[in-house]
Amino acid sequence: MRPWRSLYARIATVYLVLLLLLAVITVWVTLREFDRFNLELEQRVNIPLAENLAMILEPPIAASGVDSERTREVAAHITAINPALELFVLDGGGRVRAAFAHEGCGAGARVPLAPIRDFLAGEAMLPLMGTMPCTGASTIFTAAPIALANGGRGYLYVALHGRPYRSAAEMLEESYIARSLAVSGLVALLLAVTIGLVWFAWLTRRLRGLTATVEAFSAGDYTRRIARPGGDEVGVLGRAFNEMAGTIEAQVNALRRSDELRRDLVVSISHDFRTPLTSLRGFAERLAAEGDALPAADRAQYLRGMIKSCEQLARLAGQLSMLSQLDPHHGALRTEPFSAAELVHDIVLKFQPQAQALGVQFSLAPVPELPAAVADIGLIERAVSNLVDNALHNTPPGGEVVLTLGERGGRIMVRVRDTGYGIEPDELALVTQRFYRTRRSRSRSGGGTGLGLAIAGEIADMHGVRLDLTSDPGRGTVVAFELPTDAS
């Protein structure tokens, strides 16, 4: 990101512009009010000046007139002492009868009397501005009534100076206080700029850290998090990002695991379908090649092999179909009360022919009186059938498989025990994974698909219970799970 487009740069720019604008306004207002203060102070100090000068000018005016030589000499003496004064004698209507500032300057001009009357009334707020007869510009003044010749009354109008407002440069040149204020203001401005920029950098450092974390996360580092988010708005944003990042990371990991499972699924299905198909093709090719010349005993053996291969394919297809139905998004459980005793009796009857064919003794332990189970009867039937089928195929001829129902803690306990090959301790945690087959199962033909216990485990998870496995290698395995009841 370009530095000048960052949030810090924009905030700093706006702050500097506003600070500069505020400084200019402050300087302008300060200098203007400082000048007005000087005007007020000068006018207030000179309030009695016009009255004193009127007392000096009244005798020559009364003796020889307003514009006489004697009056001008007295006025010239006064302005010689204070050259900043400009004296004007006004008649009662405000017309200039005599101007002692410059020869002929303002003679005959009319000066507004309202400011003069307010000044003499003493109620106006200073500085009170009057009008320069010569130029018409505004100026501070002092005034006093004065007696004119022939008994008339007028005003002595004293302009204190002709420039009521000075420029800032002039004030800085002429006033030590103005220079001090300017230097102090400049130092304060620089200090405010420095503190403001440092403060904004400190405020935005967490945003910069958040930005760096988000950019690293978007680049693929899904482990990045905001450390110590804090309790303000940036902290709330940081915690929200952490929660979102955790969710995304979990979803990414789930996608990765799903992809791995998909690859494993393709490999396992290809292998599990290939084995019986290869056997089936071999038997078929042998029958086709030898035809009627094949002895009846061999023909019967090949046909039994073909039937067994077809059964393996049908069993695998059924288990794959069940896996698709166990997809979490496939649908909700259809729970209903049912008799667990009737269910297991039907399962025993269904598997008796298979048990006899395998030479395994399959029985149902005596069933006590039990409450009604509350579950998805179709899925439970599939789970128990898978456990029984898995036990029968992993028990050698002459072995035993026992299906037991009992009650524990208000729940029905379903248990399948066999005297088969057993499971090694290091494989107990793996046998409920899809397509996982034990080392013993992989070492013998027809050792199963690795889906039986996985399907039973997922069905148990869907009902909120756990599949418990205990095994003693060479002596057998016990698999059990609980069923909720209407009493629990």
Side-chain angles (χ1 to χ4, degrees):
M1 184 175 62
R2 298 174 182 175
W4 60 86
R5 298 185 63 181
S6 65
L7 179 62
Y8 171 77
R10 294 181 181 182
I11 293 177
T13 301
V14 173
Y15 172 72
L16 291 176
V17 170
L18 292 178
L19 198 61
L20 181 62
L21 182 61
L22 179 63
V24 171
I25 294 175
T26 301
V27 169
W28 180 78
V29 172
T30 301
L31 293 179
R32 183 175 182 275
E33 293 305 313
F34 182 71
D35 197 21
R36 286 181 61 85
F37 172 76
N38 287 335
L39 294 177
E40 177 186 356
L41 181 62
E42 185 176 357
Q43 189 174 33
R44 191 174 298 278
V45 169
N46 289 291
I47 286 177
L49 177 62
E51 185 176 356
N52 295 333
L53 294 179
M55 294 173 61
I56 296 173
L57 289 173
E58 276 184 347
I61 291 175
S64 56
V66 172
D67 205 24
S68 64
E69 187 67 27
R70 174 60 182 161
T71 303
R72 289 190 174 278
E73 288 179 357
V74 174
H77 180 70
I78 294 173
T79 55
I81 296 174
N82 191 350
L85 300 179
E86 299 186 33
L87 307 180
F88 302 91
V89 178
L90 311 179
D91 60 17
R95 186 175 300 277
V96 177
R97 297 289 301 276
F100 303 114
H102 306 285
E103 187 66 29
C105 175
R110 186 177 293 277
V111 176
L113 293 180
I116 298 176
R117 290 168 181 164
D118 292 340
F119 179 83
L120 295 176
E123 298 176 354
M125 183 178 295
L126 302 182
L128 188 62
M129 308 306 294
T131 303
M132 281 291 293
C134 298
T135 62
S138 296
T139 182
I140 56 173
F141 67 93
T142 180
I146 190 171
L148 302 178
N150 301 323
R153 300 290 296 179
Y155 302 96
L156 177 61
Y157 185 69
V158 183
L160 298 178
H161 66 70
R163 293 181 301 166
Y165 295 105
R166 292 170 291 173
S167 66
E170 291 174 334
M171 291 188 66
L172 291 175
E173 291 178 0
E174 299 171 3
S175 173
Y176 172 78
I177 296 178
R179 287 197 299 272
S180 299
L181 287 175
V183 172
S184 300
L186 181 60
V187 171
L189 178 62
L190 293 177
L191 186 61
V193 168
T194 303
I195 294 176
L197 293 179
V198 172
W199 187 41
F200 289 142
W202 182 81
L203 287 178
T204 56
R205 64 184 176 85
R206 294 168 61 201
L207 287 176
R208 292 194 297 273
L210 177 61
T211 301
T213 301
V214 172
E215 289 177 347
F217 189 87
S218 65
D221 186 1
Y222 300 114
T223 61
R224 292 292 294 270
R225 298 292 186 274
I226 305 298
R228 298 185 299 276
D232 56 3
E233 289 81 356
V234 178
V236 173
L237 180 60
R239 285 193 298 274
F241 170 78
N242 287 345
E243 294 175 1
M244 179 197 68
T247 302
I248 292 176
E249 183 182 14
Q251 292 175 345
V252 169
N253 291 336
L255 287 174
R256 289 172 177 169
R257 288 193 299 270
S258 177
D259 188 58
E260 293 174 358
L261 289 175
R262 179 187 59 80
R263 289 196 297 268
D264 293 342
L265 178 65
V266 172
V267 172
S268 299
I269 290 176
S270 299
H271 176 270
D272 289 334
F273 270 102
R274 187 185 303 115
T275 301
L277 285 174
T278 301
S279 299
L280 189 61
R281 179 177 179 179
F283 291 136
E285 288 177 347
R286 185 70 180 273
L287 288 173
E290 298 190 12
D292 295 337
L294 188 67
D298 292 342
R299 183 189 298 272
Q301 181 182 356
Y302 292 160
L303 290 176
R304 285 194 299 271
M306 295 175 68
I307 293 173
K308 184 177 180 181
S309 297
C310 291
E311 289 176 349
Q312 290 179 355
L313 290 174
R315 182 182 175 205
L316 179 60
Q319 289 178 333
L320 290 175
S321 175
M322 176 55 63
L323 279 180
S324 68
Q325 295 177 21
L326 295 180
D327 190 319
H329 303 287
H330 187 271
L333 291 176
R334 294 186 290 272
T335 59
E336 58 180 317
F338 64 90
S339 172
E342 293 182 2
L343 176 65
V344 296
H345 276 101
D346 293 340
I347 292 175
V348 170
L349 291 176
K350 179 174 69 173
F351 280 96
Q352 279 295 351
Q354 180 179 339
Q356 292 174 4
L358 293 172
V360 177
Q361 182 180 353
F362 178 41
S363 62
L364 174 65
V367 179
E369 186 175 350
L370 298 172
V374 179
D376 189 318
I377 186 172
L379 293 180
I380 297 301
E381 189 274 336
R382 172 58 65 178
V384 178
S385 296
N386 276 15
L387 295 180
V388 171
D389 183 67
N390 190 75
L392 292 174
H393 281 85
N394 286 278
T395 301
E400 181 184 21
V401 175
V402 179
L403 177 58
T404 305
L405 285 184
E407 184 177 4
R408 184 174 66 182
R411 293 192 167 201
I412 298 175
M413 176 65 68
V414 181
R415 187 175 68 164
V416 178
R417 178 180 60 84
D418 65 63
T419 59
Y421 304 110
I423 304 171
E424 296 295 332
D426 61 332
E427 294 183 303
L428 274 178
L430 304 174
V431 292
T432 55
Q433 297 181 6
R434 294 182 178 185
F435 293 101
Y436 182 83
R437 296 194 299 175
T438 63
R439 290 186 291 271
R440 180 182 292 274
S441 178
R442 292 194 296 267
S443 66
R444 71 183 196 273
S445 61
T449 62
L451 290 175
L453 288 176
I455 292 175
E458 293 186 21
I459 292 175
D461 289 339
M462 293 174 65
H463 286 81
V465 296
R466 187 168 57 92
L467 198 66
D468 294 323
L469 285 91
T470 57
S471 184
D472 187 0
R475 301 185 64 179
T477 302
V478 177
V479 185
F481 66 93
E482 295 178 343
L483 285 178
T485 64
D486 51 6
S488 61

